[in-house]
């Protein structure tokens, strides 16, 4: 069985919840169109359980597609930001390894930037339990686009300075992980690409909201972020960073 991910690291987002809400990117409309295509069903009118919902970035976008969303989030501070931003959205405290949701209660179970904090041997069966027959489990991640040179160079710098950087990343391998735990369902993986131009300070705040920086604490994170500021100002002297993302998305349908 895959070892449990480090709970302390997963919950470290609570210490940067406001920064997370302000600086983290959303997702392109193409992502949700792809989820619908692979699921063979629309999000509009669907009952969706958004797991590891954080501050509600994906929750809001799912709701904007017309879905009826229940958010599940383990972190109290992250959940507080979600509740403030989306007061009409039901929010329950819990994790993907033991979902506080009824059997066959959802058309979609979604994980945005969160599935790698679960134990797949627990979270995949739990998602399949909560899904109705023919429902879909959808997992996706924004990751720095490895095909964009400056983004790849930044990732290399951060990996050299931050112990365990992306140690729990499974975004490109998630279909294989799901298939290993629940063979025969045929998970499908797609990779999309998009860019958002942001001020340098927003980009640095985004970096600082990652679990690796949150776990370091502000004093130890500050020199790394200062070095990134210097690198990026050399590349983008106008102070606007074209954040380039690859979106890895995996969708698997439950048995009918």
């Amino acid at each position: 069985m895959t070892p449990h991910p480090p709970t302390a690291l997963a919950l470290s987002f609570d210490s940067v919840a406001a920064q997370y809400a302000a600086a983290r990117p959303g997702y392109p409309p193409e992502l949700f169109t792809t989820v619908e295509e692979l699921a063979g069903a629309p999000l509009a009118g669907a009952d969706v359980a958004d797991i590891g919902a954080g501050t509600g970035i994906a929750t809001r976008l799912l709701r904007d597609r017309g879905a009826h969303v229940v958010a599940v989030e383990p972190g109290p501070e992250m959940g507080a930001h979600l509740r403030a931003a989306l007061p009409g959205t039901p929010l329950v405290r819990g994790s993907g390894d033991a979902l506080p949701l009824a059997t066959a209660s959802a058309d979609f179970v979604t994980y945005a930037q969160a599935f790698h904090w679960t134990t797949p041997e627990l979270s995949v069966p739990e998602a399949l339990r909560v899904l109705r027959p023919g429902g879909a489990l959808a997992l996706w991640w924004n990751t720095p686009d490895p095909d964009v040179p400056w983004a790849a160079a930044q990732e290399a710098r951060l990996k050299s300075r931050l112990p365990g950087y992306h140690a729990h990343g499974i975004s490109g391998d998630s279909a294989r992980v799901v298939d290993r735990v629940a063979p025969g369902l045929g998970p499908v993986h797609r990779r999309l690409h998009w860019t958002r131009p942001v001020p340098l300070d927003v980009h640095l705040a985004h970096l600082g909201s990652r679990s690796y920086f949150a776990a370091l604490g502000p004093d130890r994170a500050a020199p790394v972020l200062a070095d990134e500021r210097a690198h990026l100002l050399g590349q983008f002297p106008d102070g606007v960073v074209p954040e380039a993302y690859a979106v890895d998305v995996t969708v698997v349908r439950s048995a009918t």
Side-chain angles (χ1 to χ4, degrees), residues 155-239:
E155 286 295 282
R157 289 193 302 271
L158 295 178
K159 186 175 181 179
S160 72
R161 297 192 67 172
L162 300 177
Y165 189 67
H166 285 324
H168 302 284
I170 62 167
S171 59
D173 201 32
S174 53
R176 186 194 63 80
V177 171
V178 172
D179 191 54
R180 173 175 55 79
V181 177
L185 294 179
V188 178
H189 170 263
R190 296 273 180 87
R191 173 168 279 188
L192 313 173
H193 299 269
W194 73 293
T195 301
R196 71 160 189 169
V198 295
L200 175 58
D201 285 343
V202 172
H203 176 72
L204 294 173
H206 169 207
L207 291 183
S209 76
R210 294 182 183 177
S211 60
Y212 317 98
F213 285 95
L216 283 176
D219 291 342
R220 293 172 63 198
V224 183
L225 293 172
D227 285 350
E228 283 307 305
R229 178 184 293 276
H231 274 290
L232 294 172
L233 278 175
Q235 291 181 284
F236 309 112
D238 64 351

Side-chain angles (χ1 to χ4, degrees), residues 124-148:
V124 173
E126 273 292 88
L128 295 174
R129 176 186 67 79
V130 168
L131 285 170
R132 295 174 179 137
L137 168 62
L139 322 170
W140 64 81
W141 292 262
N142 274 321
T143 59
D145 196 328
D147 297 331
V148 175

Side-chain angles (χ1 to χ4, degrees), residues 1-104:
M1 178 176 287
T2 303
H4 286 270
T7 302
L9 189 58
L11 291 176
S12 67
F13 294 115
D14 258 9
S15 67
V16 292
Q19 189 172 329
Y20 192 110
R24 284 285 180 125
Y27 303 94
E30 182 186 2
L31 166 66
F32 299 99
T33 301
T34 299
V35 168
E36 292 174 325
E37 174 194 338
L38 296 179
L43 286 163
D47 293 319
V48 177
D50 187 29
I51 316 303
T55 61
I57 294 170
T59 310
R60 180 192 298 277
L61 295 171
L62 288 162
R63 190 192 64 177
D64 290 348
R65 296 285 291 208
H68 308 297
V69 187
V70 173
V72 178
E73 167 55 37
E77 289 300 321
M78 297 286 273
H81 279 271
L82 188 151
R83 191 179 297 282
L86 302 171
T89 298
L91 170 64
V92 294
R93 183 89 174 268
S95 74
D97 290 349
L99 290 173
L101 301 172
T103 297

